[in-house]
């Protein structure tokens, strides 16, 4: 049996942002890929550094080999539902073996504890340790270990608006439509309340920090509690129409 080459550098844990991680998993789970390169991600709007981090992420997880070729783990991520979560759990336990070796559920650590573990086990600086911990928590959400903490961020990069049809004669051209979508710049996360009648937009960076920074997280939960109480008091729920029983 051939001994593994100890000089081969093991990829570092991913510290790709949460929106990019979501996009990476969307791309690899909905397409049959035999080989992947940075150019593949660049054609979907990834910058050069993010494309390289996306490749490093998949190699760290064992989804791609050192040459960018898909492994069997890639196919397991194309499953749906619980089987996909179970497969990802096994992938994460292997990829983050150093982390799971010292604790059975690292995803339940406090933010400071988790960052410290990453800095200790993977020799990361604080600057990299923090986003690496955020990325691990996002992967833990994909694996079903944690409840999602943020809504899917809205990315508005290079999206062309569809041309609007001309308004019929007699109608005011400048009348605002109720379905118009507000222009939200950059990476943002949206949290919907009151059946989507109220939407809170926050920078994705702030939402990521709310996961790891106890003070910010506590303030955010307080804001959400107040908003929820406001909506329940002043914004009535849409009545449901029940079919009368015969």
């Amino acid at each position: 049996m051939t001994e593994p080459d100890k000089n081969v550098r093991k990829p570092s844990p991913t510290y790709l942002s949460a929106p990019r991680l979501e996009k990476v998993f969307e791309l690899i789970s909905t397409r049959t890929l035999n080989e992947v390169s940075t150019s593949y991600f660049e054609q979907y709007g990834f910058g050069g550094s993010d494309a390289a981090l996306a490749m490093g992420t998949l190699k760290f997880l064992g989804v791609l080999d050192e040459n960018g070729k898909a492994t069997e783990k890639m196919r397991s991520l194309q499953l749906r539902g619980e089987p996909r979560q179970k497969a990802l759990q096994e992938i994460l336990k292997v990829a983050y073996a150093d982390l799971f070796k010292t604790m059975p559920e690292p995803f339940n650590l406090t933010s400071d504890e988790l960052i410290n573990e990453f800095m200790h086990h993977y020799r990361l600086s604080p600057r990299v340790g923090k986003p690496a911990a955020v990325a691990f928590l996002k992967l833990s959400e994909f694996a079903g270990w944690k409840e999602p903490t943020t809504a899917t961020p809205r990315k508005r990069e290079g999206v062309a608006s569809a041309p609007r049809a001309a308004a019929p004669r007699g109608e005011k051209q400048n009348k605002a439509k109720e379905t118009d979508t507000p222009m939200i710049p950059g990476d943002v996360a949206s949290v919907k309340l009151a059946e989507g009648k109220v939407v809170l937009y926050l920078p994705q960076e702030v939402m990521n920090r709310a996961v790891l920074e106890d003070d910010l997280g506590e303030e955010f939960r307080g804001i959400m509690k107040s908003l929820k109480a406001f909506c329940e008091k002043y914004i009535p729920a849409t009545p449901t129409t029940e079919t009368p029983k015969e």
Side-chain angles (χ1 to χ4, degrees), residues 241-246:
T241 303
E242 296 184 359
T243 305
K245 297 181 180 179
E246 296 183 357

Side-chain angles (χ1 to χ4, degrees), residues 17-38:
S17 68
R20 288 307 193 194
L21 272 177
E22 290 185 353
K23 187 62 178 179
V24 167
F25 272 74
E26 175 192 335
L27 292 173
I28 66 174
S29 63
T30 58
R31 294 161 175 77
T32 301
L33 303 170
N34 296 320
E35 190 171 354
V36 183
S37 65
T38 55

Side-chain angles (χ1 to χ4, degrees), residues 107-126:
F107 42 84
N108 286 330
L109 293 173
T110 67
S111 59
D112 288 341
E113 289 173 339
L114 186 58
I115 294 171
N116 287 337
E117 290 296 329
F118 269 92
M119 292 172 60
H120 170 70
H121 288 294
Y122 301 102
R123 301 181 182 276
L124 301 178
S125 66

Side-chain angles (χ1 to χ4, degrees), residues 125-167:
S125 66
R127 184 182 66 83
V128 178
K130 186 172 181 177
V134 172
F136 173 74
L137 291 177
K138 177 56 66 174
L139 291 170
S140 297
E141 290 179 16
F142 297 160
W145 282 326
K146 296 185 70 68
E147 291 295 324
T149 54
T150 63
T152 302
R154 300 179 61 172
K155 187 72 175 177
R156 303 187 66 87
E157 289 185 329
V159 179
S161 300
R164 295 184 180 180

